[in-house]
Amino acid sequence: MKVLVVNCGSSSLKYQLIDSESEQALAVGLCERIGIDGRLNHTPAGGEKVVIDDPLPNHEVAIQSVLAALTDKQHGVISSLEEINAIGHRVVHGGEKFASSVVITDEVIKAIEECNDLAPLHNPANLIGINACRSIMPGVPMVAVFDTAFHQTMPKEAYLYGIPHEYYDNYKIRRYGFHGTSHSFVSKRAIDITGLEEKNSKVIVCHLGNGASITAVKNGESVDTSMGLTPLEGLIMGTRSGDLDPAILEFIAHKENKSIDDIMTILNKKSGVYGMSGVSSDFRDLEKASNEGNERAADAFRVFCYRVAKYIGSYVAAMNGVDAIAFTAGLGENDKNMRRNVCSYLGYLGIALDEEQNAIRGKETVISTKDSKVKVLVIPTNEELAIARETVALI
Ligand code: AMP
């Protein structure tokens, strides 16, 4: 079975065509600058990247271009669209309505629309992608896979905020959590690799990329996670602040005569290690700068690691123990210095890092020593494959 996985943003569209038997991507690509001018980057498996500069005035044209690239005589990977058996869509926010993936129907689209308020930058874009695919390929079954769904198992003590209950009643303000597809995929792999029994397992997944979140997974279910109502809460990220004293918002607004929108832009786009260092949101640039003596860059790196270690400690408390800790995503998979720094706080758990294993990149690796009390792992995430699996399972 061939599944097209679509991750649609407001001006971009990422895709992979995945063969569900081999679980390999036959082609991957990205439409950029949709609605501006447009560019399609398409890479067939084992082939060279092709850049197609045709205009992409809207998402329907972008999908048409993707389908044309997939069936192209030279760089295509299928001979006709009939070979696409299903489409899996990443949807960011499913609110409390969706605790698992669903086959897309008119009712499902309406229910996703009702979650737009909770993710105004993401859900409308996801819906545009869904509607574009439906109009171009009306007969092909489609599935929505939600970033929030995996976290719907969290208990009340983890998802309620300390604010008047009416805000939960009226607007459903609560912790939802994100990166659920990745946390689910990686925690399952961690359980398999370490030979744990799912029904008796305690795993902490650190998804550390440009966006970063951490999840406590007990007996295969998410019981707490660091992102909240929105992806701004929790860890320090590339450009996002993560947790802070909410009174800081008022303080800056008064001092600098700024609106709430200005402040939200600062917290989402100008904070994190980027704002702290004044250098970059990319940890490779931070490392270079701190090696050259830039103290702010060195501080940003240390504060980031310290926050990750504090969250791990709080989730050990939440689960009354931990069997395995897994690092994933761009930074989690690649930055051995970050992993070493985080683990340096965790000696009290009986964790010991194997430096040689910690230096390995790009593949599933146990990076703790044989006698470490808690296993520490690097597990490359694969959200597209997880979406393809969910899609196949549902149709
Ligand atoms: P993601 O959002 O998962 O694509 O992760 C992107 C982030 O991963 C980048 O901004 C970097 O901070 C980090 N990253 C990627 N590769 C490396 C690397 N080789 N060393 C350190 N950090 C990396």
Side-chain angles (χ1 to χ4, degrees), residues 14 179 207-212 238 273 280-287 328-338 361 381 383:
K14 281 195 229 163
H179 295 139
H207 177 111
L208 310 177
N210 204 23
V273 293
S280 168
S281 61
D282 192 308
F283 278 67
R284 288 163 287 199
D285 301 333
L286 286 190
E287 189 178 351
T328 193
L331 178 61
E333 289 166 30
N334 291 301
D335 193 336
K336 62 178 181 197
N337 296 328
M338 179 278 299
R361 272 176 52 191
T381 192
E383 288 169 282

Side-chain angles (χ1 to χ4, degrees), residues 36-52:
I36 305 165
D37 40 22
R39 181 184 311 123
L40 168 58
N41 304 293
H42 172 84
T43 312
E48 293 281 306
K49 176 161 114 177
V50 189
V51 180
I52 301 156

Side-chain angles (χ1 to χ4, degrees), residues 125-146:
N126 301 152
L127 281 165
I128 288 172
I130 291 173
N131 287 325
C133 287
R134 278 187 122 199
S135 79
I136 295 166
M137 289 181 283
V140 179
M142 300 193 198
V143 168
V145 180
F146 300 91

Side-chain angles (χ1 to χ4, degrees), residues 91-109:
V91 179
V92 166
H93 220 307
E96 288 187 329
K97 293 197 174 86
F98 297 105
S100 58
S101 307
V102 282
V103 173
I104 296 175
T105 61
D106 290 342
E107 291 72 43
V108 166
I109 288 183

